[in-house]
């Protein structure tokens, strides 16, 4: 039997069931490939910094795979509709009879995989799919046989599956020390430097170990405080599959013999965050409209979002971090500068865009994808629809974040604000969350006054949403 591995957003050896299956059913050396799809990446709004992280990791991953007698090829495939022919040509060239891959769940990826499977079947080549991106495959159902539309009951069922079945297991591969990165040429699309983010499986697993050892115990107390910067920042690695979510869960399992029960509060809440990630992946697998720019709650597609020149100008101010609300602007400037934003602040800036400015959540969803190093289509879509009250388990429409009180709650001393808004470096703590009075007194107009009256904007939004 001649086998190959099709790597996608699972660029690792540890806890990779597709790799394990290929190794179990054939002999080395193994062939492997990754589809370089610039047109598809553009269509999906991949951020330049995310592309840079991918490209740097591919160079390291190719070299590391070589140490395990796995030869990785980068195949040019601009768009997914070309994937069947490209993959078939690869299989014919190398006389591949069995191809192993881990499933992906958005609509375009499902369509691609069906087309590839059908094409290869005509050539008597088998495509073997496993669920290497999730702890629980998207088969969890309610007692009535439907999908869960609320996180809390999904979370209970997800944990129960872990209790009954345990975490997914596959033969473990011992990693070597990282090799010298391979030469793979330049990325076909413009990139933005991601040098602040290590690449390679050895380095990123070390990041996971350090987080579990040093920070997860305090996650419950510190996760909503962006000024501390103590969250794991592993989301970019989960997104590209450089670190497997099963590997992360196994680290937590070592903390409690009763896993998934018996964890300390910080670790237990961090496990729940992994469940949130899986919840959105499951939804994406079962609800095509989520991949088509539509709201889960169909009636909310009729909301009269603002349009026109003024709406576009207001959106541009939000993008630049010039709204006059410090916590919002700090978050947007962090994003624009680093390609990452603290998760709690993501909720605050999202609420401000859709409920204060009454601009379409899809504008914000796209902007995040265009700039986030950890841009995950399922999680990003789920988060934006949660904030806009249009999705599953959405925040009730009448709950509108007050950016000032949120700022006081999550950044009480203004540390985060001062880090990202240099105009407010010298602003006294008394005014840091609402600096208008201080700005007027100091005739300091470098930082803008609030672009909306929050109370009035909230009332307008509620009136429009109620009409739906």
């Amino acid at each position: 039997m001649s086998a190959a591995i099709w790597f996608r957003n699972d660029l690792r050896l540890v806890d990779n069931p597709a790799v394990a299956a290929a190794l179990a059913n054939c002999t080395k050396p193994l062939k492997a490939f990754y589809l370089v799809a610039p047109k598809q990446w553009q269509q999906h709004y991949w951020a330049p910094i995310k592309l840079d992280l991918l490209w740097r990791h591919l160079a390291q991953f190719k070299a590391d795979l070589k140490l395990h007698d796995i030869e990785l090829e980068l195949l040019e495939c601009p768009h997914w509709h070309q994937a069947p022919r490209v993959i078939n040509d690869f299989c014919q060239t190398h006389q591949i009879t069995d191809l192993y891959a881990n499933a992906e769940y958005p609509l375009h990826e499902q369509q691609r995989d069906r087309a590839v499977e059908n094409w290869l079947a005509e050539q008597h080549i088998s495509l073997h799919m496993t669920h290497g991106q999730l702890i629980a495959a998207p088969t969890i159902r309610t007692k009535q046989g439907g999908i869960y539309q609320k996180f809390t009951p999904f979370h209970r069922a997800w944990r129960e599956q872990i209790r009954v079945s345990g975490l997914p297991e596959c033969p473990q591969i011992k990693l070597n020390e990282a090799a010298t990165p391979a030469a793979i040429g330049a990325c076909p699309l413009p990139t933005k430097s991601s040098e602040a983010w290590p690449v390679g499986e050895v380095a990123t697993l070390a990041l996971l170990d350090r987080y579990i050892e040093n920070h997860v115990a305090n996650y419950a107390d510190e996760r909503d405080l962006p000024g501390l910067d103590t969250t794991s920042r592993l989301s970019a690695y989960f997104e590209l599959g450089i670190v497997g979510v099963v590997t992360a869960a196994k680290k937590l399992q070592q903390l409690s013999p009763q896993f998934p029960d018996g964890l300390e509060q910080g670790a237990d809440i961090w496990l729940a965050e992994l469940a949130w990630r899986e919840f959105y992946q499951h939804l994406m697998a079962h609800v095509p409209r989520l991949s088509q720019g539509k709201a889960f709650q169909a009636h909310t597609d009729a909301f009269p979002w603002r349009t026109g020149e003024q709406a576009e100008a207001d959106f541009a101010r939000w993008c630049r971090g010039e709204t006059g609300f410090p916590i919002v602007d700090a978050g947007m400037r962090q994003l624009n500068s680093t390609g990452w934003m603290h998760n709690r602040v993501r909720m605050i800036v999202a609420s401000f865009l859709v409920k204060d400015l009454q601009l379409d959540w899809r504008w914000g969803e796209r902007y995040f994808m265009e700039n986030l190093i950890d841009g995950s289509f399922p999680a990003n879509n789920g988060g934006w629809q949660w904030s806009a009250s249009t999705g599953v388990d959405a925040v009730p429409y009448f709950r509108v974040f007050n950016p000032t009180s949120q700022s006081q709650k999550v950044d009480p001393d203004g540390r985060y604000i001062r880090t990202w808004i240099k105009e407010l470096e010298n602003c006294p703590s008394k005014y840091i969350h609402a600096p208008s009075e201080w700005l007027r007194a100091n005739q300091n107009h470098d930082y803008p006054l609030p672009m909306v009256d929050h109370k009035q904007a909230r009332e307008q939004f509620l009136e429009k949403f109620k009409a739906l």
Side-chain angles (χ1 to χ4, degrees):
M1 179 186 294
S2 181
I5 306 165
W6 176 7
F7 285 105
R8 42 266 285 266
N9 282 358
D10 56 349
L11 297 169
R12 66 183 186 277
L13 288 169
V14 174
D15 286 320
N16 189 324
V19 172
L23 290 173
N25 290 291
C26 63
T27 57
K28 292 182 177 180
L30 269 176
K31 295 292 183 181
F33 64 86
Y34 180 86
L35 297 182
V36 178
K39 290 185 178 179
Q40 197 70 47
W41 293 338
Q42 287 176 318
Q43 184 177 335
H44 290 169
Y45 309 122
W46 274 41
I49 193 170
K50 178 180 175 180
L51 284 171
D52 191 67
L53 183 71
L54 165 68
W55 209 251
R56 289 172 54 233
H57 180 68
L58 282 172
Q60 183 65 63
F61 192 51
K62 179 178 174 67
D64 292 347
L65 286 176
K66 187 73 172 177
L67 299 177
H68 293 270
D69 293 324
I70 301 174
E71 187 67 41
L72 177 67
E73 293 186 31
L74 305 185
L75 303 182
E76 184 178 348
C77 178
H79 199 280
W80 287 155
H81 66 71
Q82 296 162 298
R85 182 179 298 278
V86 170
I87 294 173
N88 180 66
D89 289 348
F90 174 88
C91 291
Q92 296 298 336
T93 299
H94 297 289
Q95 299 182 319
I96 302 299
T97 59
D98 292 84
L99 183 61
Y100 294 85
N102 290 309
E104 294 183 320
Y105 307 106
L107 182 61
H108 288 167
E109 285 69 18
Q110 290 190 50
Q111 292 172 335
R112 174 202 62 196
D113 291 350
R114 285 195 295 268
V116 169
E117 184 174 25
N118 291 337
W119 187 298
L120 294 183
E122 294 179 2
Q123 310 302 318
H124 306 290
I125 301 170
S126 300
L127 176 60
H128 306 274
M129 302 295 290
T130 48
H131 291 285
Q133 296 200 36
L134 298 171
I135 294 172
T139 54
I140 296 177
R141 292 289 188 276
T142 65
K143 292 180 179 180
Q144 293 73 35
I147 63 171
Y148 284 99
Q149 299 182 25
K150 297 286 185 182
F151 173 72
T152 300
F154 170 86
H155 186 201
R156 284 197 294 265
W158 182 81
R159 289 204 183 217
E160 181 61 23
Q161 179 161 316
I162 295 175
R163 289 188 193 98
V164 173
S165 303
L167 294 173
E169 291 289 349
C170 63
Q172 291 302 299
I173 297 174
K174 181 176 175 57
L175 296 180
N176 302 303
E177 287 300 316
T180 301
I184 61 173
C187 182
L189 293 176
T191 61
K192 176 181 178 180
S193 175
S194 63
E195 288 295 331
W197 300 75
V199 294
E201 202 166 356
V202 173
T204 52
L205 285 173
L207 292 177
L208 171 63
D209 286 339
R210 284 198 293 272
Y211 179 73
I212 297 298
E213 291 172 9
N214 300 325
H215 295 293
V216 77
N218 299 321
Y219 183 70
D221 298 324
E222 298 178 351
R223 64 183 181 133
D224 287 335
L225 304 175
L228 296 182
D229 195 22
T230 54
T231 56
S232 74
R233 293 203 179 210
L234 289 167
S235 50
Y237 302 114
F238 289 146
E239 166 58 16
L240 294 176
I242 299 171
V243 173
V245 68
V246 170
T247 304
K250 286 179 178 177
K251 296 294 182 182
L252 296 178
Q253 187 178 39
Q254 295 172 8
L255 304 178
S256 170
Q258 294 83 39
F259 184 84
D261 304 309
L263 292 168
E264 296 292 335
Q265 186 181 28
D268 192 74
I269 294 177
W270 199 68
L271 179 64
E273 292 299 318
L274 299 183
W276 268 108
R277 178 184 179 276
E278 303 228 337
F279 180 48
Y280 289 137
Q281 295 267 0
H282 283 224
L283 289 169
M284 197 64 69
H286 297 301
V287 187
R289 66 184 290 111
L290 296 179
S291 295
Q292 298 170 324
K294 298 177 181 177
F296 182 86
Q297 297 183 36
H299 73 283
T300 63
D301 276 332
F303 187 88
W305 303 109
R306 293 172 56 222
T307 58
E309 290 185 8
Q310 186 57 54
E312 292 174 3
D314 288 349
F315 178 66
R317 286 186 62 177
W318 176 84
C319 293
R320 293 193 302 267
E322 297 176 357
T323 68
F325 290 87
I327 192 67
V328 174
D329 295 338
M332 297 307 296
R333 294 185 194 190
Q334 181 184 32
L335 172 62
N336 294 334
S337 175
T338 69
W340 188 84
M341 188 194 303
H342 188 279
N343 186 62
R344 182 68 185 187
V345 184
R346 294 187 198 197
M347 292 189 279
I348 295 170
V349 304
S351 177
F352 185 84
L353 182 78
V354 297
K355 293 182 175 177
D356 284 79
L357 300 184
Q358 296 165 42
L359 297 177
D360 197 327
W361 58 268
R362 282 159 281 236
W363 293 13
E365 178 194 26
R366 174 173 172 173
Y367 190 79
F368 269 26
M369 287 301 295
E370 290 174 336
N371 289 277
L372 281 170
I373 194 170
D374 62 351
S376 162
F377 182 33
N380 189 51
N381 179 273
W384 273 96
Q385 293 218 44
W386 181 89
S387 295
S389 304
T390 64
V392 294
D393 211 38
V395 60
Y397 77 90
F398 49 81
R399 186 181 300 161
V400 179
F401 281 11
N402 181 318
T404 302
S405 60
Q406 284 290 317
S407 181
Q408 294 166 340
K409 180 179 180 181
V410 306
D411 190 31
D413 60 1
R415 182 191 308 180
Y416 178 73
I417 291 171
R418 291 188 182 90
T419 298
W420 296 106
I421 304 180
K422 299 306 178 186
E423 306 98 295
L424 299 181
E425 277 185 312
N426 299 317
C427 180
S429 297
K430 177 181 178 181
Y431 301 105
I432 193 67
H433 305 289
S436 297
E437 184 179 343
W438 179 77
L439 291 170
R440 292 190 184 99
N442 288 272
Q443 297 183 334
N444 183 342
H445 299 293
D446 291 340
Y447 184 71
L449 297 174
M451 62 187 297
V452 294
D453 180 296
H454 170 71
K455 183 178 180 181
Q456 292 180 0
R458 177 182 182 276
E459 291 172 354
Q460 291 170 358
F461 173 82
L462 294 179
E463 188 175 330
K464 292 178 180 179
F465 210 100
K466 216 177 293 184
L468 295 178

